[in-house]
Amino acid sequence: MTLQTSLSEIRFDPEAEGAGFDAAFIAVEVARLLHEGQETAIREFVESQELADVAALIDELEDGDDLGVLRLLPMHDQAEMLGYLRPRAQVDLATRIPRRELVALMTAMSHDERADLFKQLDEEAQEAILPALSKAEREDLRRLAAYEEWTVGSVMTSDYAVLKPDMTTSQAIEALRAQAIEAETIYDSYIIDESRALIGVISLRDLLTARPRQRVDEIMDTEPVWVRADDEQEEAARLVARYDLLALPVLDNNDRLVGIVTADDAMDVTEEEVTEDFYKSSIVQPLEMSVADASIALLYRARIFWLVLLVFGNIFSGAGIAYFEETIAAHLSLLFFLPLLIASGGNAGTQSATLMVRALATGDVRPADFGRLLSREVLIALALGLTMALAVSVIGVWRGGPEIAMVVALAMITIVLMGALIGLCLPFIFAKIDRDPAAASGPLVTSIADVLGVIIYFNIAARLLEL
Amino acid sequence: MTLQTSLSEIRFDPEAEGAGFDAAFIAVEVARLLHEGQETAIREFVESQELADVAALIDELEDGDDLGVLRLLPMHDQAEMLGYLRPRAQVDLATRIPRRELVALMTAMSHDERADLFKQLDEEAQEAILPALSKAEREDLRRLAAYEEWTVGSVMTSDYAVLKPDMTTSQAIEALRAQAIEAETIYDSYIIDESRALIGVISLRDLLTARPRQRVDEIMDTEPVWVRADDEQEEAARLVARYDLLALPVLDNNDRLVGIVTADDAMDVTEEEVTEDFYKSSIVQPLEMSVADASIALLYRARIFWLVLLVFGNIFSGAGIAYFEETIAAHLSLLFFLPLLIASGGNAGTQSATLMVRALATGDVRPADFGRLLSREVLIALALGLTMALAVSVIGVWRGGPEIAMVVALAMITIVLMGALIGLCLPFIFAKIDRDPAAASGPLVTSIADVLGVIIYFNIAARLLEL
C-alpha cells in the first residue's frame, strides 16, 4: 500500500473529509519508507500536506525518524512546522538538532515562536545559540523572551510590516512585497514616525483599492485599536475578537510600536483562558500546560488546595446536623431526604453561577445588570423550586407520610431559592472585589448551599414537626 | 463638555487605553447633540470610532435616536455596523427602518449577516423585502437562510473572491481589486472550474510575491483544507483553528464551492460552543441566545429537566441512608462526617471530569489515551485521598474518638478514589457512545458519587464498628 492510498482510505477524522489524516497510522508507513531510503516518496507526501498535519506526523515518529522527516522539508517549512508542535515536543526535537542546524532553523522561525522555544531551552542550549545569531536577532529574542508569561508582550511577535506615511500606495505595495517573506502578516501594516510611535494602520485591501498615487497617510486609519505590551494577554484577545482584527498593534509605555498580536495567536490565548475558566469552575488551579503533559505531582498540587479547604468548609454542614441530632433521632426518616435536598440547592446554584460567570466573561451581562438579573432569578428559582417540591412531595408522602412531605416540599422551595441566589450573587461579589468571577465555582457554591441547606431543612422540620 | 473630552476622560474599560468608550455615557451626550441638531459633530465622532463601538452606542440610544445616528453613517458603514449588533437589537432596528431604506441596507450587508437578519424577521417583513431585491440576491438570501442552525452552511458567507486558473498573477490582483468592495475577504481567493468545483486556493501574499506573469494554477494550493456545507459548524471552527486559516472554503455534496467561513465567524462559533460546554458542565441546556435576552420561561425550561432528574437520582442516596438506619441510630456521630465525605467524592470527581472534558474538547487527549490516564489518575486520587484523610482524621478523633476517625479516614480515601475514577471514566464513556463528553457534568458526577459515597461510608462503618 502506498502512502497516497493509505491516506485516502484512512483519515484522522472521517467527518473531516477536507483535511487531516491518521497521523499514528501514517507514521508507521513513513518510518518504513524512511528505513528503505525512499526519501523522495516521503518528501512528495509531506509537501502536499498541511504543516499542522506534518507536525502531528512528526510528533508520532520515533526519535531520529522525526529528524529524518523534518530535514526533507524546505527550511522555511521546517521553521513554520515547528510552531505547530506542542511546546514539549518542540523542545525535545530542538535539543536533538545539531547546534548549527538549530540556529538556521530558529533564524527562519517567526519571532514570537522563536522566543517561546528559546525560553523553554535549558541555559546551556540558550548560551550555545545566542552567539551564533546576528546582533539584531539576539536583541529581538532577548526582548521578546523577557516579557512575563501572562502579558501581551509574551504572545506578540516583532516581525510586522511597516510603512512610511509619505509613501504612495503603489510604493507601499512594493514595500510589502519586499517584507512578505519575513513579516508574520502583510494584510495589516503599520505606519510609524522616526521615534517608532504608531501613527496609523492600513490594510492591504485599502492599499489595493486606493488610487496608485495616493499617499498612505491620506487613507490610513489614524485611530487604530491598540494595546500595551504589559497589559494582560486576555485584553489583546478580547480586542481582536471585539473588533474582528487580523492583527492588533502593541505599544510600549512610550507609545512606540513593539509588536503585533495576530488573530490566530489571539485565538490560542482565548483557548488558554477558556481552559483556565473551566478549571476554576471545578476548583482546579491553572496548569500552564496540557493535562496530558502534566506530571502527577503538578496535578496533585493543582487539585489538593481547594479539596482540603472544602473539607473544612463542609465541617459546618456536619455541625449543622449535629446541632439537630435530637430532631433527627426522633424522625430518622428525615435523613432519607437529606442528600436529595442539599444536592438540589447545590445543583440550582451551580446552574446560576455558570450562567452568570459565562455571561460576565463574554460581556453579555455587566455588573450593572445585577439588580434586573436578581429579580428575574427569584422568579425562575421559585418556579424551579415549586416543580421540584411537587416531584419530591410525592416521594415524601410515600416514605414518611403527609407531614414529612410538607416539610420536604417547603424545604425544597427554600433551598433551591437560596442555592440559586448564592450562585447568582457570588460571581458578582467576586467581580466587585476584583477577583475572577470564574472562581465562583460549582463546588464552592455547592459547599455553601450544603451548609445552609442542612440548617434550613432541619429548622423547618423542627418547627413543623414539633407543633 | 464636548464629546471628544468626555471620550478621553471616560472609557469603556480603563485597562483598554487603545479602544472603546463608555457607550451608556456617550449615548446621553449623543442624544443631547442630536436633539440640538448638531449632526455634524456626531457624524465626526462616529466616523472616527470603530464600528463595533458605534454599535454599542446605537444599542444604548432610545428608539428613534438610534435611527437618527445610524443615518449619519455612510451606507457601507451602516451595513457593517449592523453586523456588530446583537441579533435582537438588529431585528428591533430593522423593523423600524422604512422598507426602501432597509432594502438598500440589506443589499450592502455581507451575505451571511444579511441572511441571518432575514431569518429573524417576521414573515410579513420578509415578504415585503424579497421582491425589492435583485433575482441573484434573492436566490442567494434564500439559499443561505435555508441551512439549518447548527450547520457550516448557516455560518458561511457567499461573497468570496474567485479567480480563474489561467489568469496571470497580475491579472489576478486586478481581478481582486475589482472584487474588493463586495468580497468578505480578498486575502484568500478561490479558483474554480466551469462547474464551480474548487480546484485551488491562493493567498494574496503568494500572488504579490510571485512573478507578475506566472499563472495562478502554477502557484495555487491544489489540496486546500475544506469542509462540507452540511457538516456541523464546530467542524469548520476546528479546522480554522487547527490550520490557522483566514477563511475556509465550503463545498456542497457535489464538490461545488458554495461559500467560505471566515476566521472571525469561526471564532464566534467557538465562543458559542464553549458557552454550550459551560452550560452542559452545569446541567443547563443550550439557550440559543444570550442569557440577558432569554425569557424567564426559556431559562426555566433550560434548567428544570436535569434538576428534576437528579432529584430522582438522589433518592438512591436517601435509600442508602435508610438501609443503614440501624448503624446510624447506634452511632449518630457518623452523621457529622456524612456531608463532608460525600462532598469530597463529588468535588474530586468534578475535577477529573472537567480536566478530561476539556482535554478531549481541545484535542490534548484522545480516547485512545484512556489507559494511561486511568493509571495516572489512580495515583493522583490516592495521594489526594490520603491528604484529605489525614485532614479529616484529626477532626474524627476530636468529634468521635479514634474508631470513628479510622472509619472516616478509610472512607475518605475510598470515596475520593471512587469519585475521581467516575469523573475520569464518564467523559470517555460518553465519547464512546457518541454523546458529547461535556454532558459528564459536575452535578451528574456528584450525584453518582453521592450514592456510592453513602454506601461506601456506612459499609465501612458497619463493618469496622461492629467488630
Side-chain angles (χ1 to χ4, degrees):
Chain A
M1 186 157 61
T2 71
L3 268 176
Q4 298 300 334
T5 59
S6 62
L7 179 69
S8 64
E9 279 167 24
I10 305 202
R11 289 181 163 282
F12 189 82
D13 175 354
E15 299 289 298
E17 301 163 70
F21 52 76
D22 184 335
F25 179 86
I26 298 286
V28 178
E29 290 289 290
V30 166
R32 189 177 55 77
L33 288 173
L34 195 68
H35 297 155
E36 287 172 8
Q38 303 223 39
E39 267 95 5
T40 319
I42 303 176
R43 183 181 290 119
E44 268 171 27
F45 172 70
V46 291
E47 284 191 347
S48 73
Q49 299 300 314
E50 303 293 326
L51 290 171
D53 294 328
V54 177
L57 167 66
I58 284 189
D59 204 17
E60 290 285 345
L61 287 168
E62 303 283 321
D63 281 10
D65 287 355
D66 52 2
L67 273 180
V69 172
L70 179 75
R71 290 186 177 125
L72 297 175
L73 291 169
M75 181 56 73
H76 188 267
D77 285 354
Q78 285 188 32
E80 201 182 327
M81 190 286 300
L82 220 55
Y84 283 106
L85 282 175
R86 293 171 300 127
R88 274 177 64 133
Q90 259 185 51
V91 174
D92 171 58
L93 204 66
T95 50
R96 286 183 288 115
I97 296 175
R99 204 194 81 179
R100 207 148 161 191
E101 215 179 315
L102 183 59
V103 169
L105 195 56
M106 288 184 72
T107 307
M109 284 177 82
S110 75
H111 295 191
D112 54 340
E113 287 169 358
R114 178 169 74 189
D116 290 341
L117 173 57
F118 182 78
K119 269 195 278 192
Q120 304 270 335
L121 295 175
D122 58 34
E123 227 169 294
E124 199 184 346
Q126 287 184 346
E127 281 174 13
I129 287 163
L130 276 182
L133 294 172
S134 75
K135 183 158 175 280
E137 310 236 4
R138 205 157 55 223
E139 277 170 11
D140 176 80
L141 192 55
R142 279 218 182 97
R143 211 181 48 243
L144 284 181
Y147 284 101
E148 279 192 84
E149 208 48 66
W150 51 270
T151 60
V152 170
S154 74
V155 293
M156 74 184 186
T157 189
S158 53
D159 35 6
Y160 46 84
V162 285
L163 297 175
K164 291 189 190 123
D166 56 357
M167 283 175 165
T168 64
T169 57
S170 50
Q171 285 171 333
I173 293 171
E174 271 321 300
L176 290 180
R177 235 179 215 134
Q179 296 179 51
I181 303 152
E182 273 290 312
E184 184 83 15
T185 180
I186 56 165
Y187 299 142
D188 274 337
S189 38
Y190 304 90
I191 297 95
I192 52 178
D193 65 15
E194 317 75 49
S195 65
R196 299 199 69 81
L198 179 68
I199 56 176
V201 172
I202 193 159
S203 70
L204 183 52
R205 185 199 280 246
D206 285 348
L207 284 174
L208 272 182
T209 49
R211 280 176 290 108
R213 319 223 25 184
Q214 207 152 14
R215 274 169 59 121
V216 164
D217 56 6
E218 287 168 26
I219 51 169
M220 67 188 187
D221 177 1
T222 54
E223 295 194 39
V225 178
W226 53 268
V227 71
R228 290 256 180 241
D230 51 13
D231 275 347
E232 288 182 30
Q233 55 179 14
E234 300 95 286
E235 179 58 17
R238 193 185 70 80
L239 292 173
V240 167
R242 176 173 171 92
Y243 298 107
D244 289 343
L245 304 174
L246 292 180
L248 171 70
V250 183
L251 306 188
D252 67 11
N253 289 324
N254 301 316
D255 287 344
R256 279 179 310 220
L257 182 66
V258 289
I260 58 169
V261 177
T262 56
D264 56 311
D265 289 338
M267 274 174 87
D268 293 343
V269 170
T270 304
E271 194 183 284
E272 271 177 44
E273 294 301 320
V274 165
T275 297
E276 222 179 282
D277 278 1
F278 267 108
Y279 286 2
K280 281 189 189 149
S281 79
S282 67
I283 53 168
V284 176
Q285 278 157 1
L287 289 180
E288 313 266 312
M289 64 172 74
S290 130
V291 64
D293 290 339
S295 70
I296 291 181
L298 180 66
L299 281 166
Y300 171 82
R301 281 199 304 275
R303 295 170 63 172
I304 192 65
F305 175 75
W306 273 99
L307 283 181
V308 169
L309 202 69
L310 291 185
V311 164
F312 287 102
N314 274 298
I315 291 174
F316 293 102
S317 305
I321 292 178
Y323 181 82
F324 290 101
E325 217 169 78
E326 273 177 44
T327 312
I328 296 170
H331 306 274
L332 269 178
S333 62
L334 285 173
L335 283 179
F336 181 88
F337 299 95
L338 180 65
L340 178 158
L341 285 169
I342 61 177
S344 295
N347 289 342
T350 301
Q351 288 184 330
S352 330
T354 303
L355 285 167
M356 286 309 119
V357 166
R358 187 65 192 148
L360 285 168
T362 57
D364 281 343
V365 152
R366 281 183 296 168
D369 299 326
F370 178 70
R372 190 176 70 86
L373 293 166
L374 183 71
S375 52
R376 203 177 61 162
E377 183 70 15
V378 170
L379 293 177
I380 296 168
L382 281 176
L384 295 172
L386 271 169
T387 316
M388 294 160 81
L390 216 67
V392 88
S393 58
V394 178
I395 316 162
V397 173
W398 164 63
R399 281 287 314 184
E403 266 196 324
I404 295 285
M406 203 173 67
V407 168
V408 170
L410 213 59
M412 181 63 101
I413 297 173
T414 323
I415 288 173
V416 166
L417 182 63
M418 173 274 302
L421 293 185
I422 291 171
L424 177 85
C425 295
L426 216 54
F428 285 99
I429 294 172
F430 280 20
K432 189 91 190 167
I433 60 174
D434 264 336
R435 290 206 47 185
D436 189 341
S441 65
L444 180 59
V445 170
T446 298
S447 289
I448 301 175
D450 277 3
V451 180
L452 295 178
V454 167
I455 295 171
I456 290 171
Y457 178 35
F458 290 122
N459 246 311
I460 291 176
R463 274 153 209 257
L464 284 188
L465 296 178
E466 269 143 44
L467 281 180
Chain B
M1 185 156 61
T2 72
L3 268 175
Q4 300 298 336
T5 59
S6 63
L7 178 70
S8 63
E9 278 168 24
I10 304 202
R11 291 180 161 281
F12 188 84
D13 176 354
E15 298 289 297
E17 301 164 66
F21 52 75
D22 184 336
F25 179 87
I26 297 288
V28 178
E29 290 288 291
V30 166
R32 189 177 55 77
L33 289 173
L34 195 69
H35 297 156
E36 288 173 6
Q38 305 221 36
E39 266 95 5
T40 318
I42 303 177
R43 181 181 291 119
E44 267 173 26
F45 173 70
V46 291
E47 283 191 347
S48 73
Q49 298 301 314
E50 303 294 325
L51 289 171
D53 294 328
V54 177
L57 167 65
I58 284 189
D59 204 18
E60 290 286 345
L61 288 167
E62 302 285 319
D63 281 10
D65 287 354
D66 52 3
L67 273 180
V69 172
L70 179 75
R71 289 185 177 127
L72 297 176
L73 291 170
M75 180 56 73
H76 188 267
D77 285 352
Q78 285 188 32
E80 202 181 325
M81 190 283 302
L82 220 56
Y84 283 106
L85 282 176
R86 293 171 301 126
R88 275 177 62 133
Q90 258 185 53
V91 174
D92 170 58
L93 205 65
T95 50
R96 286 184 287 116
I97 297 175
R99 205 195 81 180
R100 204 143 159 197
E101 214 179 313
L102 182 60
V103 169
L105 196 57
M106 287 183 73
T107 307
M109 282 177 84
S110 75
H111 295 191
D112 52 341
E113 287 170 359
R114 177 168 75 188
D116 290 342
L117 172 57
F118 182 78
K119 270 196 279 192
Q120 304 271 335
L121 295 175
D122 59 34
E123 228 170 292
E124 198 184 346
Q126 287 184 346
E127 281 174 15
I129 287 163
L130 276 182
L133 294 172
S134 75
K135 183 156 174 283
E137 307 230 311
R138 204 155 58 222
E139 277 170 11
D140 176 79
L141 192 56
R142 278 216 183 99
R143 212 181 49 244
L144 285 181
Y147 285 101
E148 281 192 81
E149 208 48 66
W150 50 271
T151 61
V152 171
S154 75
V155 292
M156 74 184 186
T157 189
S158 55
D159 36 5
Y160 45 85
V162 286
L163 298 174
K164 290 189 190 124
D166 56 357
M167 284 174 165
T168 64
T169 55
S170 49
Q171 285 172 332
I173 293 171
E174 272 319 302
L176 290 181
R177 240 182 210 130
Q179 295 179 53
I181 303 152
E182 272 290 312
E184 184 83 15
T185 180
I186 56 165
Y187 299 143
D188 275 337
S189 40
Y190 304 91
I191 297 95
I192 51 179
D193 64 15
E194 317 76 48
S195 65
R196 299 198 67 82
L198 179 68
I199 55 176
V201 173
I202 194 158
S203 70
L204 183 52
R205 184 199 279 249
D206 285 347
L207 284 174
L208 270 182
T209 50
R211 279 176 290 108
R213 320 223 24 184
Q214 207 153 12
R215 276 168 58 122
V216 164
D217 57 4
E218 286 168 25
I219 50 169
M220 67 187 187
D221 177 2
T222 55
E223 296 194 39
V225 178
W226 52 268
V227 71
R228 291 256 180 242
D230 52 13
D231 275 347
E232 288 182 30
Q233 57 180 13
E234 299 95 285
E235 180 58 17
R238 194 186 69 80
L239 292 172
V240 167
R242 176 174 170 92
Y243 298 107
D244 288 343
L245 304 174
L246 292 181
L248 172 71
V250 183
L251 307 187
D252 68 11
N253 289 324
N254 301 316
D255 287 346
R256 279 179 309 220
L257 181 66
V258 289
I260 58 169
V261 176
T262 55
D264 56 311
D265 289 339
M267 273 174 88
D268 292 342
V269 169
T270 304
E271 193 182 286
E272 271 178 43
E273 294 301 320
V274 165
T275 297
E276 219 174 86
D277 279 0
F278 267 107
Y279 286 3
K280 280 189 189 149
S281 79
S282 67
I283 54 168
V284 176
Q285 280 159 0
L287 289 181
E288 313 266 313
M289 65 171 74
S290 128
V291 63
D293 290 338
S295 70
I296 291 182
L298 180 66
L299 280 167
Y300 171 82
R301 282 199 304 275
R303 294 171 64 171
I304 192 65
F305 175 75
W306 273 100
L307 283 181
V308 168
L309 203 70
L310 291 185
V311 164
F312 287 102
N314 274 299
I315 291 176
F316 293 102
S317 304
I321 292 178
Y323 181 82
F324 290 101
E325 217 168 78
E326 274 177 44
T327 313
I328 296 171
H331 307 274
L332 269 177
S333 62
L334 285 174
L335 282 178
F336 181 88
F337 299 95
L338 180 66
L340 178 159
L341 286 169
I342 62 178
S344 295
N347 288 343
T350 302
Q351 287 184 331
S352 331
T354 302
L355 285 167
M356 288 308 119
V357 166
R358 187 64 194 150
L360 286 168
T362 57
D364 282 342
V365 151
R366 281 181 297 169
D369 299 327
F370 178 70
R372 190 176 70 87
L373 293 167
L374 184 69
S375 52
R376 203 178 59 162
E377 182 70 15
V378 170
L379 293 178
I380 297 169
L382 281 176
L384 295 172
L386 272 168
T387 315
M388 294 160 80
L390 217 66
V392 87
S393 58
V394 179
I395 316 162
V397 173
W398 163 63
R399 280 290 313 184
E403 266 196 325
I404 296 284
M406 202 173 66
V407 170
V408 170
L410 213 58
M412 180 63 99
I413 296 172
T414 322
I415 288 172
V416 167
L417 182 63
M418 172 275 302
L421 293 184
I422 291 171
L424 179 84
C425 296
L426 216 55
F428 285 99
I429 293 172
F430 280 20
K432 189 91 190 168
I433 60 173
D434 264 336
R435 290 206 45 186
D436 188 342
S441 65
L444 180 60
V445 170
T446 298
S447 289
I448 301 175
D450 278 1
V451 180
L452 295 178
V454 167
I455 296 171
I456 290 172
Y457 179 35
F458 291 123
N459 245 312
I460 291 177
R463 274 153 209 258
L464 284 189
L465 296 178
E466 268 142 45
L467 280 180

